[in-house]
Amino acid sequence: MRILIIEDEFNLADVIAARLRQEHYEAEICQDGDEGLYLASAGIYDLILLDVMLPGKDGFEILRELRQQGMRSKIIMLTARSMLEDKLEGLEHGANDYITKPFHMDELMARVHIQMSSPESCQEQNQLTYGDLSLDTSNLKLTSRTA
Ligand code: CA
């Protein structure tokens, strides 16, 4: 399984890549938004870890363009900002998950494993569920199964 890390803080990207390789994933690092979009567009990655603040295009622009192209790789946003609007913007534009910096590497790996072990979520990437609640991120409609 191939993972692309688009992150301009090299030390962080390097630590993430080393950990992913330990867990037998192939990991590549890209430190620039424009190049990141180009690489990600190739569609050869199972998962993309996408930073928000990047030189060149930012993470949200990359996310939007990839989803507009119909690119189905799983995407986890790495955001330094914990603002609710940022999280919603990412999920609204098709991110599968997000994690707020600074994060514990074990938490990131847990989120990576979840994405890598749910192939069916390609069709349902607009649906987030929690208990009986389901959020359609394409229109932010919240529904409850018990209602
Ligand atoms: Ca950054």
Side-chain angles (χ1 to χ4, degrees), residues 8 43 53 70 104 115 122-124 141-142 144:
D8 59 319
M53 302 299 287
H104 195 289
Q115 293 304 325
C122 275
Q123 284 114 39
E124 293 185 297
K141 237 182 219 160
L142 191 64
S144 168

Side-chain angles (χ1 to χ4, degrees), residues 9 31 34 42 59 61 85-86 97 102 107 129 135 145-146:
E9 288 163 54
Q31 294 179 263
D34 295 318
E61 290 177 279
E85 303 94 86
D86 287 341
D97 201 359
E107 186 188 351
T129 52
L135 177 69
R145 262 180 282 166
T146 53

Side-chain angles (χ1 to χ4, degrees), residues 80-136:
R81 298 178 287 185
S82 58
M83 300 288 290
L84 180 64
E85 303 94 86
D86 287 341
K87 294 175 183 172
L88 289 177
E89 181 174 356
L91 294 170
E92 196 180 335
H93 289 101
N96 298 89
D97 201 359
Y98 59 82
I99 190 166
T100 305
K101 294 180 194 174
F103 49 80
H104 195 289
M105 206 53 67
D106 289 343
E107 186 188 351
L108 178 64
M109 288 307 128
R111 290 173 184 274
V112 166
H113 293 320
I114 289 168
Q115 293 304 325
M116 295 304 243
S117 60
S118 57
E120 79 286 357
S121 61
C122 275
Q123 284 114 39
E124 293 185 297
Q125 62 195 8
N126 289 333
Q127 292 290 334
L128 291 175
T129 52
Y130 182 80
D132 287 336
L133 294 174
S134 172
L135 177 69
D136 185 336

Side-chain angles (χ1 to χ4, degrees), residues 17-29:
R19 179 65 187 268
L20 288 170
R21 288 173 190 139
Q22 260 178 29
E23 312 223 0
H24 309 292
Y25 294 112
E26 280 181 53
E28 289 169 42
I29 298 171

